[in-house]
Amino acid sequence: MASSSQNTPVSTGENSTNFDSFYTEVKEIEKRDSVLTPSQQIERLMRPGSSYFNLNPFEVLQVDPETPLDEIRKKYKRLSILVHPDKNQDDADRAQEAFEVVNRSWKILESDLSRAKCMEIVEEAKGRTDLSIEEKKKKFKKDGKEYVELSPEEYKRQVYVLTMKLFADMERKRRDLEKRDMEERKRKREQEIDAEEKAKKDKEWQQNFEESRQNRVESWKTFQAGGKKKKSSEPKKVKLFKPPKHKAETR
């Protein structure tokens, strides 16, 4: 069951200051307390903007993308125990949501295929960051200015911010594709319903036509006889053909 916080629409246009602030706060907490308490972990995973940051499974499990899978598994197990709702009964609802986020992130990284896709996003973020740095260097050189190299921490921060944006981009595309697929299925179903309704009307029309055929034949024979037979004092009721009633289309 997906948590309610995960249904928040993803936007790639959020202010980058929010990303920087979140990154700085998380790193300060990690520096102050290398092992976050259960309540701190739940707060980290459920805080405002979590639907955006939790798209990145490396961020959720607090591991570097280069971390071996065995180490990621250990971190997942420790974290899942910390945020388990049974261990946090005073905040069970949010703990349940956090627990689901942690499990979902592990399933993504546990799969070779999905983990490879995540690594592609990280590598793309690094590539774009490197390209941006090279372009700035060229511009500084052209303008006769000296370019100051980024510190390792600043470089990591820039890659982090861009990685988050790329994960959000991927999620937005996935949702757009899902929406188009749903609309296409709906359109096809409406066509099927229209075809079924038309077939039903055609069948009713044909059935009514066949049922009235014999009465039409008998009426014609009576007319051809031209009074040779004694007419009944009461007119004979003839079942006439009635087309099916038109039904308003429903969608």
Side-chain angles (χ1 to χ4, degrees):
M1 177 180 66
S3 64
S4 59
S5 65
Q6 298 305 304
N7 295 328
T8 305
V10 173
S11 171
T12 59
E14 294 189 36
N15 194 319
S16 61
T17 303
N18 293 334
F19 309 148
D20 299 346
S21 176
F22 180 89
Y23 178 86
T24 302
E25 288 182 35
V26 169
K27 296 309 172 186
E28 286 179 353
I29 292 174
E30 290 175 348
K31 185 177 180 180
R32 184 182 69 242
D33 187 355
S34 58
V35 181
L36 300 185
T37 64
S39 60
Q40 286 175 319
Q41 287 289 8
I42 293 172
E43 179 62 28
R44 178 180 71 86
L45 294 168
M46 293 292 102
R47 65 192 299 149
S50 60
S51 62
Y52 180 89
F53 294 99
N54 290 346
L55 294 172
N56 183 347
F58 300 115
E59 171 64 25
V60 170
L61 299 180
Q62 292 184 298
V63 294
D64 289 330
E66 295 79 12
T67 303
L69 186 60
D70 286 344
E71 292 300 316
I72 296 177
R73 182 184 289 105
K74 291 177 183 178
K75 188 62 182 286
Y76 154 70
K77 287 182 178 179
R78 289 197 297 269
L79 188 54
S80 63
I81 291 173
L82 281 177
V83 301
H84 197 285
D86 290 347
K87 302 285 186 180
N88 299 275
Q89 295 187 9
D90 57 332
D91 194 9
D93 290 341
R94 292 207 314 158
Q96 179 64 36
E97 292 181 22
F99 182 72
E100 291 171 1
V101 170
V102 170
N103 280 339
R104 182 163 54 250
S105 296
W106 165 244
K107 288 180 181 179
I108 291 173
L109 296 182
E110 183 183 27
S111 164
D112 291 339
L113 181 60
S114 55
R115 187 171 72 255
K117 290 181 179 179
C118 291
M119 287 303 299
E120 287 177 4
I121 291 176
V122 174
E123 291 304 318
E124 183 178 349
K126 289 180 179 179
R128 289 192 185 187
T129 302
D130 292 341
L131 181 60
S132 176
I133 292 173
E134 289 301 317
E135 290 176 347
K136 287 180 180 178
K137 285 182 177 179
K138 290 179 182 179
K139 187 177 186 303
F140 272 60
K141 184 177 181 180
K142 183 179 179 181
D143 295 341
K145 299 178 181 179
E146 183 180 357
Y147 178 80
V148 179
E149 294 288 346
L150 297 178
S151 66
E153 185 63 24
E154 176 60 20
Y155 175 80
K156 186 176 181 180
R157 186 194 68 79
Q158 290 192 14
V159 172
Y160 170 87
V161 171
L162 185 53
T163 298
M164 300 307 304
K165 290 181 178 179
L166 293 177
F167 269 108
D169 255 349
M170 183 176 70
E171 175 65 9
R172 178 183 55 79
K173 291 176 182 177
R174 185 194 68 79
R175 293 185 182 185
D176 288 345
L177 182 62
E178 187 179 71
K179 181 180 178 181
R180 289 197 298 270
D181 182 60
M182 183 173 63
E183 290 174 347
E184 179 63 17
R185 290 200 304 270
K186 180 181 178 182
R187 185 186 65 81
K188 288 183 178 180
R189 181 53 187 156
E190 288 175 347
Q191 290 179 339
E192 290 174 357
I193 292 174
D194 289 342
E196 290 170 0
E197 188 65 25
K198 183 179 182 302
K200 182 179 179 181
K201 289 179 180 178
D202 290 345
K203 183 178 180 180
E204 289 178 357
W205 190 94
Q206 186 65 30
Q207 183 177 355
N208 289 340
F209 181 84
E210 293 297 333
E211 289 177 353
S212 63
R213 180 195 299 273
Q214 186 60 35
N215 289 329
R216 293 197 304 274
V217 171
E218 291 179 358
S219 296
W220 177 251
K221 288 181 177 179
T222 302
F223 173 76
Q224 291 285 29
K228 292 181 179 180
K229 295 182 179 180
K230 185 177 181 181
K231 294 184 179 179
S232 173
S233 58
E234 295 183 1
K236 183 178 180 182
K237 294 182 179 180
V238 178
K239 184 178 179 182
L240 301 178
F241 167 66
K242 294 182 180 179
K245 293 182 180 179
H246 176 71
K247 295 182 180 178
E249 293 187 3
T250 58
R251 296 283 174 96

